[in-house]
Amino acid sequence: MYWGGNPAECHPRHFTKYALMPKSKFLPRGRKDRTAVLVDIRPTKSAKAADIFLQVRPGKDFELITILRALIKDQKVSEEAVAETGITLEQCTDLIERMKKAKFGCVFFGMGLSMTRGKHMNSAALLTLAAEMNAFTKFVAMPMRGHGNVTGADVIMRWQTGYPFGITFNRGYPRYNPGEFSTVDVLVRGDADAAFIIGADPGATMPQPAIDHLARIPTIVLDPHVTHTSNLAKVHITTAPAGIAAPGTAYRMDEIPLPLKPALKSPYPTDEEVVRRIKQAIVKKPFWMPEGAQMTAAQV
Amino acid sequence: MNKLTLRLKEQPTVPLEAEVLSPDTFAELSNEEIRSKTVYHGKRQCRLDDFFDVDGERSDDVEIHGDLHRVRWIGREMSRGRITVHGSVGMHLGAYMKGGEIEVHGNASDWIGAEMRNGLIRVHGNGGGQIGAGYRGSLKGMRGGTIIVDGSAGLEVGMRMRRGMIVLGGPAKDFTGLQMKGGTIVLLAGAEIRTGAWMMRGTIISLKPIQMMPTFSYACRYTPDVLRVYSRRLKELGVSLPYAPQDGAYKLYSGDASVPGKGEILVWDALSA
Amino acid sequence: MLRITGGKVYDPANGIDGEVRDLFVSEGKFVASAEEGRTIDATGMIVFPGGVDVHTHVAGGAINFARAMTPEDHRRTQAFIRSQSRRSGIGGMAPTTFATGYLYAGMGWTTVNEAAVPVLSARHTHEELSDIPIVDKSTLTLMANNEIMLDLMEKGEYERAKNVVAWYIWAAKSYGVKAVNPGGVAAWKWGKDAKQLTSPIEGFTRLTPGDIISQLARICHELGLPHPLHLHCNNLGAPGNISTTLDTLNHLDGHRAHIAHSQYHAYGGDDWDEMRSETAQLAEYFNTHPNVTTDAGAVLFGDTVTITADGPWQHLLYKLTGRKWGNLDVENETGCGIVPYTYRPSNLVNAIQWSVGLELLLLIKNPWQVFLSTDHPNGGCFWRYPEIIQLLMCADFRTECLKKLPDKIKERITLPELTREYTLYEIATSMSAGPARALGLHHKGNLGLGCDADIVIYEEDKDVARMFGHPRYVIKGGEVVIEEGDIRATPDGHEYISRPHYAPDTDEFLRPLFEDCYTMQFENYPVEMERIEKPAIHDCVPNS
Ligand SMILES: [Zn+2]
């Protein structure tokens, strides 16, 4: 099942290499041995690849998933209430029957789900549905992440700080609170007095108040290219493009680490090298935290 | 007891974490000791009097003046006394609170009374999101006490709350009472969508019609006795809750069937005059 | 150079039991004498070899998932505040990498064995390990549910399977082989489990868990791996599983093995209400089979997060607790589940588990066979080991603790009858010399000449938990890393890697299978040696 994602256009190899076409020991006929369902607000190109397309009304994903959670537990939901999602009760019942009959169910959800009204709760809903489906058969769910190596950043922040994102170090140790410490919220509220940006172009994607704030404060950008953000930055350091001219590891969206083997040489330093040199310069300055400071009071 | 008065003299340029702004801290300290208490301006450790004029000492009756919208954690974990703020405050007002009272003549931000256990928080302006909620990952939100916000509120009010009461004078955004496990939320001006989503137990009372989750079902129209009790308690706080049969009754919806839960949403249905 | 003088030395590897001796260190090793350098006056203090954890989960996809799942624990637990010598982090149920190194070293442990690594994400595990400072490390590769290997075993191609196992170990840059719930994790991909050692596994026609165990034990022996098969038996945690465990041991066919966290595998009774301890039977096996070792997997009361490749068990635990559950399937290799859990003394099952772990440590007579572990973080967090040491050394303290348990427990356990108290010499064996020998790390857990100068020095204290929780000095590779509770240095540890022999055509055999079964390119799969920080390679000599 794909939910709120359009792999045919956004992750083209997902069908062929990963989830739909591959032949395997237990699915020797590949695509023919699988049932594919797409749930989205409009019939995208991916709908053609699906056996079943369910067109959910915009903003009704959370409701629809919550209905499915109730129905798998044999709870009653009125036909009219279901119909408001754009999907009929009959369609829901049919879907659930297929889900329960599947030998191994897999839900991939995209930003059509996780970035629309309800956001993290939409993702939570689908993850919960998948967890609860294990009372009947094997079921898993996994997000289809956006561009680049966002999973890698998330994975490393977790092992170094315990948290995936939305972290502050102002008290000398990691604290977490999405909404309070996530980049976009910090910028929109104007909570930061400097910005250091690596491998991202918030100037192209973030809301205007966040971009305005980036332009107000000293913003430093490490990027191989000229970007929206580098144009408004006070400092732009050109770096070697990761994966093309800089080695490293990229984490696939299922958290499988892949080695990056550079094909080209770049005259520019890697991001890592630049950060290392900045760090060396900072070490020469007096340490910012007073000796013996009692920093841990806030629990968030 | 004499009053302790603080006046913001220097507007912080980045958030100021000031959990020392609590009656528990100030009750036994001299003026000089209070002035020297540590606050965190971003990553810098500063003295309280870098930002505040401090008048008085050894008091658990604290009055704070100024635009404190960047000042976070006021009244954190306080267990006694009173804080009165003339101005707006930043996030985490009265989080983990155990007792005493906070009154804000102005707006407050997200996480008012998050995971609080007891006490009273009253905000006369607007509140933010996650009022009385559990912090990310916590299994339980507020476990007791009362929060009253005269104005509007943001997302996820009362998320995973277990006990206690939240009263909102203005409208709330989405996911009010999300995964609620107990306690009561009173919505005088209704809420946007997904009210009571994934509720297990507890009660949401709305005086305005609200959009119901499809996984809630209509049970009956009546006025439970407990409304009389709530009404009396809220009256002391200046909030009136109708319950008289001649004025109308409540429509009871139960859910959320997806859990499946035994939560109740009561929506006031006035008799047309 | 370093001299440690006047301390009471406990060095079981060399039969030294509390003799006052001087130790000399040069270039990270013990030497016969040293003239220069610092002298630590350890008069009146107790000198141990640094602790060795034979079975822990500190790095990789599973523990990292657990970290993300438990922000509520990070908030309430110990914060590691950045200093000029120390990086920031979080302690608690699933500590962050830097904190993991500080916490282990802080209680005198200097070597850790990460016991469950899927080959597919081994690169991730190594990246995390290089962020764990101070301690030396090794990893075990999860093999008992790898579909390619299982297919070979099903077809009876033993020699080929052996080559494939060796190839995988080297591809993962790991140290040995871990088998978790043989066949059961593969069956979990079908939502099933493998509870009978002699029944075919879901998805296979002939192959049974028993076959996998016999063949893997033999493969580990024949490849000449320094550590024998590291085995997590089928039916973990289930009442009545003692019969499965004993059956498993019989399938070893006389080969060496290390049985992981045996506490979870020594229960009688037919259901949760009837559950009881069967440690006497299991201890008897160990007492008569000196070639098999185990670690306790002891349980301590309190909050923790359970992490295991045993997916079906974790789904059951999720249903029992109704709390959070994470599940990871690792393509055709393995999988894992993560469930936060609270062990409560008032809960009869938990109370029995607590008792069973201690019973095994006390009933297995030879401390060279049974090692201190909690299967971190499954039974409790590793930084609580000093509490277990106290329970082992003080029978009175055990009696006190037993009083807090439900009365009903009395006829289900044997702990109240056990009066044995561990001596310091036995503790040193169980926490250091024993696990080092079982891992085949002969230069560890050993204060003899030429061995690694990993030393922990305690100030004698009647409060055993305090003494072991707060060593006066910890020395790693000859460098003082902990002194009076402070971290003084954070050197990078070594990583131990085994290089077993495999037939040169194994690459070409695997390549087409790979293109069939995996979503990753064959060339990208093996972890490159350059990625390992300070590797120490053990070339294996095959046994016939
Ligand atoms: Zn384990």
Side-chain angles (χ1 to χ4, degrees), chain C residues 58 80 95-110 112 131-135 137 382 481-482 487 489-490:
Chain C
V58 290
F80 284 81
T96 57
T97 49
F98 307 121
T100 298
Y102 306 146
L103 284 164
Y104 261 118
M107 62 171 192
W109 259 250
T110 47
V112 301
D131 271 353
I132 297 182
I134 307 177
V135 294
K137 298 148 278 201
F382 68 79
V481 291
I482 305 285
I487 293 172
T490 59

PDB file of all heavy atoms in Angstrom, chain C residues 58 80 95-110 112 131-135 137 382 481-482 487 489-490:
ATOM      1  N   VAL C  58      24.774  -2.029  22.192  1.00  0.00           N
ATOM      2  CA  VAL C  58      25.134  -0.618  22.379  1.00  0.00           C
ATOM      3  C   VAL C  58      25.197   0.172  21.080  1.00  0.00           C
ATOM      4  O   VAL C  58      25.287   1.398  21.121  1.00  0.00           O
ATOM      5  CB  VAL C  58      26.490  -0.479  23.107  1.00  0.00           C
ATOM      6  CG1 VAL C  58      26.365  -0.907  24.561  1.00  0.00           C
ATOM      7  CG2 VAL C  58      27.589  -1.271  22.411  1.00  0.00           C
ATOM      8  N   PHE C  80      24.707  14.034  30.178  1.00  0.00           N
ATOM      9  CA  PHE C  80      26.161  14.237  30.107  1.00  0.00           C
ATOM     10  C   PHE C  80      26.407  15.602  29.492  1.00  0.00           C
ATOM     11  O   PHE C  80      26.155  15.817  28.308  1.00  0.00           O
ATOM     12  CB  PHE C  80      26.819  13.133  29.287  1.00  0.00           C
ATOM     13  CG  PHE C  80      26.917  11.847  30.045  1.00  0.00           C
ATOM     14  CD1 PHE C  80      25.835  11.000  30.142  1.00  0.00           C
ATOM     15  CD2 PHE C  80      28.094  11.516  30.700  1.00  0.00           C
ATOM     16  CE1 PHE C  80      25.910   9.832  30.878  1.00  0.00           C
ATOM     17  CE2 PHE C  80      28.179  10.346  31.436  1.00  0.00           C
ATOM     18  CZ  PHE C  80      27.083   9.505  31.527  1.00  0.00           C
ATOM     19  N   PRO C  95      21.550   4.517  26.279  1.00  0.00           N
ATOM     20  CA  PRO C  95      22.435   5.685  26.273  1.00  0.00           C
ATOM     21  C   PRO C  95      22.942   6.017  24.870  1.00  0.00           C
ATOM     22  O   PRO C  95      23.048   5.134  24.006  1.00  0.00           O
ATOM     23  CB  PRO C  95      23.605   5.258  27.162  1.00  0.00           C
ATOM     24  CG  PRO C  95      23.108   4.112  27.964  1.00  0.00           C
ATOM     25  CD  PRO C  95      22.077   3.433  27.118  1.00  0.00           C
ATOM     26  N   THR C  96      23.246   7.282  24.664  1.00  0.00           N
ATOM     27  CA  THR C  96      23.838   7.694  23.397  1.00  0.00           C
ATOM     28  C   THR C  96      25.283   7.188  23.344  1.00  0.00           C
ATOM     29  O   THR C  96      25.840   6.744  24.346  1.00  0.00           O
ATOM     30  CB  THR C  96      23.804   9.225  23.260  1.00  0.00           C
ATOM     31  OG1 THR C  96      24.493   9.790  24.369  1.00  0.00           O
ATOM     32  CG2 THR C  96      22.380   9.735  23.262  1.00  0.00           C
ATOM     33  N   THR C  97      25.883   7.268  22.153  1.00  0.00           N
ATOM     34  CA  THR C  97      27.179   6.589  21.965  1.00  0.00           C
ATOM     35  C   THR C  97      28.269   7.113  22.900  1.00  0.00           C
ATOM     36  O   THR C  97      28.942   6.325  23.554  1.00  0.00           O
ATOM     37  CB  THR C  97      27.643   6.728  20.512  1.00  0.00           C
ATOM     38  OG1 THR C  97      27.549   8.099  20.126  1.00  0.00           O
ATOM     39  CG2 THR C  97      26.800   5.885  19.585  1.00  0.00           C
ATOM     40  N   PHE C  98      28.455   8.414  22.938  1.00  0.00           N
ATOM     41  CA  PHE C  98      29.541   8.943  23.776  1.00  0.00           C
ATOM     42  C   PHE C  98      29.291   8.567  25.236  1.00  0.00           C
ATOM     43  O   PHE C  98      30.186   8.108  25.943  1.00  0.00           O
ATOM     44  CB  PHE C  98      29.670  10.458  23.626  1.00  0.00           C
ATOM     45  CG  PHE C  98      29.808  10.904  22.195  1.00  0.00           C
ATOM     46  CD1 PHE C  98      28.891  11.767  21.625  1.00  0.00           C
ATOM     47  CD2 PHE C  98      30.856  10.426  21.415  1.00  0.00           C
ATOM     48  CE1 PHE C  98      29.008  12.150  20.295  1.00  0.00           C
ATOM     49  CE2 PHE C  98      30.979  10.802  20.088  1.00  0.00           C
ATOM     50  CZ  PHE C  98      30.049  11.672  19.527  1.00  0.00           C
ATOM     51  N   ALA C  99      28.036   8.738  25.670  1.00  0.00           N
ATOM     52  CA  ALA C  99      27.689   8.411  27.050  1.00  0.00           C
ATOM     53  C   ALA C  99      27.932   6.933  27.342  1.00  0.00           C
ATOM     54  O   ALA C  99      28.347   6.563  28.442  1.00  0.00           O
ATOM     55  CB  ALA C  99      26.229   8.781  27.316  1.00  0.00           C
ATOM     56  N   THR C 100      27.690   6.082  26.358  1.00  0.00           N
ATOM     57  CA  THR C 100      27.918   4.641  26.543  1.00  0.00           C
ATOM     58  C   THR C 100      29.365   4.374  26.929  1.00  0.00           C
ATOM     59  O   THR C 100      29.650   3.632  27.877  1.00  0.00           O
ATOM     60  CB  THR C 100      27.565   3.880  25.244  1.00  0.00           C
ATOM     61  OG1 THR C 100      26.180   4.079  24.953  1.00  0.00           O
ATOM     62  CG2 THR C 100      27.841   2.391  25.383  1.00  0.00           C
ATOM     63  N   GLY C 101      30.288   4.999  26.198  1.00  0.00           N
ATOM     64  CA  GLY C 101      31.712   4.831  26.522  1.00  0.00           C
ATOM     65  C   GLY C 101      32.029   5.342  27.914  1.00  0.00           C
ATOM     66  O   GLY C 101      32.729   4.687  28.691  1.00  0.00           O
ATOM     67  N   TYR C 102      31.512   6.528  28.251  1.00  0.00           N
ATOM     68  CA  TYR C 102      31.805   7.119  29.570  1.00  0.00           C
ATOM     69  C   TYR C 102      31.231   6.257  30.691  1.00  0.00           C
ATOM     70  O   TYR C 102      31.853   6.091  31.738  1.00  0.00           O
ATOM     71  CB  TYR C 102      31.225   8.541  29.677  1.00  0.00           C
ATOM     72  CG  TYR C 102      31.644   9.477  28.570  1.00  0.00           C
ATOM     73  CD1 TYR C 102      30.774  10.465  28.102  1.00  0.00           C
ATOM     74  CD2 TYR C 102      32.913   9.383  27.969  1.00  0.00           C
ATOM     75  CE1 TYR C 102      31.139  11.332  27.077  1.00  0.00           C
ATOM     76  CE2 TYR C 102      33.280  10.241  26.941  1.00  0.00           C
ATOM     77  CZ  TYR C 102      32.373  11.211  26.501  1.00  0.00           C
ATOM     78  OH  TYR C 102      32.736  12.051  25.485  1.00  0.00           O
ATOM     79  N   LEU C 103      30.019   5.733  30.467  1.00  0.00           N
ATOM     80  CA  LEU C 103      29.366   4.937  31.520  1.00  0.00           C
ATOM     81  C   LEU C 103      30.072   3.599  31.731  1.00  0.00           C
ATOM     82  O   LEU C 103      30.275   3.175  32.871  1.00  0.00           O
ATOM     83  CB  LEU C 103      27.894   4.701  31.164  1.00  0.00           C
ATOM     84  CG  LEU C 103      26.953   5.881  31.368  1.00  0.00           C
ATOM     85  CD1 LEU C 103      25.629   5.653  30.628  1.00  0.00           C
ATOM     86  CD2 LEU C 103      26.681   6.114  32.855  1.00  0.00           C
ATOM     87  N   TYR C 104      30.439   2.932  30.639  1.00  0.00           N
ATOM     88  CA  TYR C 104      31.161   1.655  30.792  1.00  0.00           C
ATOM     89  C   TYR C 104      32.496   1.890  31.490  1.00  0.00           C
ATOM     90  O   TYR C 104      32.833   1.229  32.474  1.00  0.00           O
ATOM     91  CB  TYR C 104      31.392   0.989  29.427  1.00  0.00           C
ATOM     92  CG  TYR C 104      30.392  -0.091  29.094  1.00  0.00           C
ATOM     93  CD1 TYR C 104      29.551   0.022  27.989  1.00  0.00           C
ATOM     94  CD2 TYR C 104      30.289  -1.241  29.873  1.00  0.00           C
ATOM     95  CE1 TYR C 104      28.632  -0.969  27.674  1.00  0.00           C
ATOM     96  CE2 TYR C 104      29.376  -2.247  29.564  1.00  0.00           C
ATOM     97  CZ  TYR C 104      28.553  -2.108  28.468  1.00  0.00           C
ATOM     98  OH  TYR C 104      27.641  -3.092  28.162  1.00  0.00           O
ATOM     99  N   ALA C 105      33.261   2.842  30.967  1.00  0.00           N
ATOM    100  CA  ALA C 105      34.577   3.102  31.556  1.00  0.00           C
ATOM    101  C   ALA C 105      34.429   3.563  32.999  1.00  0.00           C
ATOM    102  O   ALA C 105      35.222   3.191  33.872  1.00  0.00           O
ATOM    103  CB  ALA C 105      35.331   4.145  30.732  1.00  0.00           C
ATOM    104  N   GLY C 106      33.381   4.346  33.257  1.00  0.00           N
ATOM    105  CA  GLY C 106      33.174   4.894  34.585  1.00  0.00           C
ATOM    106  C   GLY C 106      32.987   3.830  35.651  1.00  0.00           C
ATOM    107  O   GLY C 106      33.229   4.076  36.828  1.00  0.00           O
ATOM    108  N   MET C 107      32.553   2.626  35.261  1.00  0.00           N
ATOM    109  CA  MET C 107      32.446   1.566  36.265  1.00  0.00           C
ATOM    110  C   MET C 107      33.494   0.484  36.019  1.00  0.00           C
ATOM    111  O   MET C 107      33.399  -0.613  36.566  1.00  0.00           O
ATOM    112  CB  MET C 107      31.032   1.000  36.324  1.00  0.00           C
ATOM    113  CG  MET C 107      30.572   0.363  35.058  1.00  0.00           C
ATOM    114  SD  MET C 107      28.999  -0.501  35.300  1.00  0.00           S
ATOM    115  CE  MET C 107      28.970  -1.406  33.747  1.00  0.00           C
ATOM    116  N   GLY C 108      34.491   0.786  35.207  1.00  0.00           N
ATOM    117  CA  GLY C 108      35.636  -0.118  35.096  1.00  0.00           C
ATOM    118  C   GLY C 108      35.526  -1.183  34.024  1.00  0.00           C
ATOM    119  O   GLY C 108      36.311  -2.119  33.996  1.00  0.00           O
ATOM    120  N   TRP C 109      34.543  -1.058  33.125  1.00  0.00           N
ATOM    121  CA  TRP C 109      34.461  -2.009  32.001  1.00  0.00           C
ATOM    122  C   TRP C 109      35.226  -1.435  30.809  1.00  0.00           C
ATOM    123  O   TRP C 109      35.034  -0.266  30.461  1.00  0.00           O
ATOM    124  CB  TRP C 109      33.007  -2.251  31.624  1.00  0.00           C
ATOM    125  CG  TRP C 109      32.427  -3.533  32.152  1.00  0.00           C
ATOM    126  CD1 TRP C 109      32.099  -4.626  31.407  1.00  0.00           C
ATOM    127  CD2 TRP C 109      32.092  -3.869  33.496  1.00  0.00           C
ATOM    128  NE1 TRP C 109      31.585  -5.612  32.226  1.00  0.00           N
ATOM    129  CE2 TRP C 109      31.572  -5.180  33.498  1.00  0.00           C
ATOM    130  CE3 TRP C 109      32.202  -3.197  34.724  1.00  0.00           C
ATOM    131  CZ2 TRP C 109      31.152  -5.830  34.659  1.00  0.00           C
ATOM    132  CZ3 TRP C 109      31.787  -3.834  35.881  1.00  0.00           C
ATOM    133  CH2 TRP C 109      31.273  -5.144  35.847  1.00  0.00           C
ATOM    134  N   THR C 110      36.085  -2.238  30.201  1.00  0.00           N
ATOM    135  CA  THR C 110      36.948  -1.703  29.142  1.00  0.00           C
ATOM    136  C   THR C 110      36.809  -2.431  27.812  1.00  0.00           C
ATOM    137  O   THR C 110      37.430  -2.034  26.829  1.00  0.00           O
ATOM    138  CB  THR C 110      38.414  -1.737  29.598  1.00  0.00           C
ATOM    139  OG1 THR C 110      38.687  -3.026  30.152  1.00  0.00           O
ATOM    140  CG2 THR C 110      38.683  -0.668  30.655  1.00  0.00           C
ATOM    141  N   VAL C 112      33.681  -4.345  25.254  1.00  0.00           N
ATOM    142  CA  VAL C 112      32.280  -4.722  25.105  1.00  0.00           C
ATOM    143  C   VAL C 112      32.061  -5.447  23.781  1.00  0.00           C
ATOM    144  O   VAL C 112      32.675  -5.120  22.770  1.00  0.00           O
ATOM    145  CB  VAL C 112      31.325  -3.499  25.189  1.00  0.00           C
ATOM    146  CG1 VAL C 112      31.472  -2.785  26.518  1.00  0.00           C
ATOM    147  CG2 VAL C 112      31.530  -2.542  24.025  1.00  0.00           C
ATOM    148  N   ASP C 131      31.963   5.993  17.460  1.00  0.00           N
ATOM    149  CA  ASP C 131      31.569   7.105  18.331  1.00  0.00           C
ATOM    150  C   ASP C 131      31.428   6.671  19.792  1.00  0.00           C
ATOM    151  O   ASP C 131      30.935   7.435  20.610  1.00  0.00           O
ATOM    152  CB  ASP C 131      30.252   7.731  17.848  1.00  0.00           C
ATOM    153  CG  ASP C 131      30.489   8.849  16.824  1.00  0.00           C
ATOM    154  OD1 ASP C 131      31.661   9.217  16.607  1.00  0.00           O
ATOM    155  OD2 ASP C 131      29.506   9.349  16.253  1.00  0.00           O
ATOM    156  N   ILE C 132      31.778   5.427  20.100  1.00  0.00           N
ATOM    157  CA  ILE C 132      31.798   4.995  21.506  1.00  0.00           C
ATOM    158  C   ILE C 132      33.247   5.040  21.982  1.00  0.00           C
ATOM    159  O   ILE C 132      34.064   4.225  21.555  1.00  0.00           O
ATOM    160  CB  ILE C 132      31.213   3.576  21.676  1.00  0.00           C
ATOM    161  CG1 ILE C 132      29.737   3.585  21.252  1.00  0.00           C
ATOM    162  CG2 ILE C 132      31.345   3.108  23.124  1.00  0.00           C
ATOM    163  CD1 ILE C 132      29.039   2.256  21.408  1.00  0.00           C
ATOM    164  N   PRO C 133      33.591   6.006  22.815  1.00  0.00           N
ATOM    165  CA  PRO C 133      34.990   6.182  23.185  1.00  0.00           C
ATOM    166  C   PRO C 133      35.456   5.205  24.259  1.00  0.00           C
ATOM    167  O   PRO C 133      34.643   4.538  24.902  1.00  0.00           O
ATOM    168  CB  PRO C 133      35.016   7.614  23.718  1.00  0.00           C
ATOM    169  CG  PRO C 133      33.637   7.864  24.221  1.00  0.00           C
ATOM    170  CD  PRO C 133      32.704   7.009  23.405  1.00  0.00           C
ATOM    171  N   ILE C 134      36.719   5.133  24.437  1.00  0.00           N
ATOM    172  CA  ILE C 134      37.454   4.450  25.510  1.00  0.00           C
ATOM    173  C   ILE C 134      37.475   2.933  25.351  1.00  0.00           C
ATOM    174  O   ILE C 134      38.532   2.331  25.262  1.00  0.00           O
ATOM    175  CB  ILE C 134      36.951   4.825  26.924  1.00  0.00           C
ATOM    176  CG1 ILE C 134      36.939   6.365  27.089  1.00  0.00           C
ATOM    177  CG2 ILE C 134      37.849   4.175  27.994  1.00  0.00           C
ATOM    178  CD1 ILE C 134      36.380   6.854  28.419  1.00  0.00           C
ATOM    179  N   VAL C 135      36.305   2.273  25.318  1.00  0.00           N
ATOM    180  CA  VAL C 135      36.296   0.811  25.372  1.00  0.00           C
ATOM    181  C   VAL C 135      36.708   0.180  24.043  1.00  0.00           C
ATOM    182  O   VAL C 135      36.555   0.770  22.980  1.00  0.00           O
ATOM    183  CB  VAL C 135      34.886   0.285  25.759  1.00  0.00           C
ATOM    184  CG1 VAL C 135      34.530   0.694  27.172  1.00  0.00           C
ATOM    185  CG2 VAL C 135      33.831   0.778  24.777  1.00  0.00           C
ATOM    186  N   LYS C 137      36.040  -2.943  21.341  1.00  0.00           N
ATOM    187  CA  LYS C 137      34.745  -3.451  20.899  1.00  0.00           C
ATOM    188  C   LYS C 137      34.878  -4.643  19.968  1.00  0.00           C
ATOM    189  O   LYS C 137      35.888  -4.808  19.300  1.00  0.00           O
ATOM    190  CB  LYS C 137      34.009  -2.330  20.138  1.00  0.00           C
ATOM    191  CG  LYS C 137      33.712  -1.125  20.987  1.00  0.00           C
ATOM    192  CD  LYS C 137      33.728   0.194  20.238  1.00  0.00           C
ATOM    193  CE  LYS C 137      35.081   0.787  20.033  1.00  0.00           C
ATOM    194  NZ  LYS C 137      35.095   2.227  19.760  1.00  0.00           N
ATOM    195  N   PHE C 382      23.239  -1.689  31.553  1.00  0.00           N
ATOM    196  CA  PHE C 382      24.559  -2.182  31.951  1.00  0.00           C
ATOM    197  C   PHE C 382      25.137  -1.386  33.112  1.00  0.00           C
ATOM    198  O   PHE C 382      25.874  -1.929  33.925  1.00  0.00           O
ATOM    199  CB  PHE C 382      25.528  -2.178  30.757  1.00  0.00           C
ATOM    200  CG  PHE C 382      25.909  -0.811  30.256  1.00  0.00           C
ATOM    201  CD1 PHE C 382      26.869  -0.059  30.911  1.00  0.00           C
ATOM    202  CD2 PHE C 382      25.313  -0.270  29.114  1.00  0.00           C
ATOM    203  CE1 PHE C 382      27.215   1.206  30.460  1.00  0.00           C
ATOM    204  CE2 PHE C 382      25.658   0.994  28.660  1.00  0.00           C
ATOM    205  CZ  PHE C 382      26.611   1.734  29.337  1.00  0.00           C
ATOM    206  N   VAL C 481      42.054   6.715  32.470  1.00  0.00           N
ATOM    207  CA  VAL C 481      40.890   7.339  31.844  1.00  0.00           C
ATOM    208  C   VAL C 481      39.896   7.875  32.877  1.00  0.00           C
ATOM    209  O   VAL C 481      39.190   8.842  32.616  1.00  0.00           O
ATOM    210  CB  VAL C 481      40.178   6.393  30.853  1.00  0.00           C
ATOM    211  CG1 VAL C 481      41.036   6.150  29.625  1.00  0.00           C
ATOM    212  CG2 VAL C 481      39.806   5.074  31.498  1.00  0.00           C
ATOM    213  N   ILE C 482      39.843   7.217  34.038  1.00  0.00           N
ATOM    214  CA  ILE C 482      38.955   7.688  35.104  1.00  0.00           C
ATOM    215  C   ILE C 482      39.795   7.843  36.368  1.00  0.00           C
ATOM    216  O   ILE C 482      40.568   6.953  36.724  1.00  0.00           O
ATOM    217  CB  ILE C 482      37.829   6.669  35.399  1.00  0.00           C
ATOM    218  CG1 ILE C 482      37.028   6.325  34.150  1.00  0.00           C
ATOM    219  CG2 ILE C 482      36.919   7.164  36.536  1.00  0.00           C
ATOM    220  CD1 ILE C 482      36.065   7.366  33.680  1.00  0.00           C
ATOM    221  N   ILE C 487      36.311  11.870  34.240  1.00  0.00           N
ATOM    222  CA  ILE C 487      36.892  11.337  33.013  1.00  0.00           C
ATOM    223  C   ILE C 487      38.132  12.163  32.680  1.00  0.00           C
ATOM    224  O   ILE C 487      38.055  13.377  32.537  1.00  0.00           O
ATOM    225  CB  ILE C 487      35.868  11.391  31.872  1.00  0.00           C
ATOM    226  CG1 ILE C 487      34.724  10.426  32.184  1.00  0.00           C
ATOM    227  CG2 ILE C 487      36.524  11.028  30.547  1.00  0.00           C
ATOM    228  CD1 ILE C 487      33.556  10.525  31.242  1.00  0.00           C
ATOM    229  N   ALA C 489      40.642  11.049  30.249  1.00  0.00           N
ATOM    230  CA  ALA C 489      41.048  10.900  28.850  1.00  0.00           C
ATOM    231  C   ALA C 489      40.007  10.044  28.149  1.00  0.00           C
ATOM    232  O   ALA C 489      39.353   9.217  28.774  1.00  0.00           O
ATOM    233  CB  ALA C 489      42.414  10.237  28.763  1.00  0.00           C
ATOM    234  N   THR C 490      39.831  10.275  26.853  1.00  0.00           N
ATOM    235  CA  THR C 490      38.852   9.491  26.104  1.00  0.00           C
ATOM    236  C   THR C 490      39.491   8.950  24.827  1.00  0.00           C
ATOM    237  O   THR C 490      39.128   9.345  23.721  1.00  0.00           O
ATOM    238  CB  THR C 490      37.609  10.331  25.748  1.00  0.00           C
ATOM    239  OG1 THR C 490      38.044  11.450  24.959  1.00  0.00           O
ATOM    240  CG2 THR C 490      36.895  10.839  26.968  1.00  0.00           C
TER     241      THR C 490
END
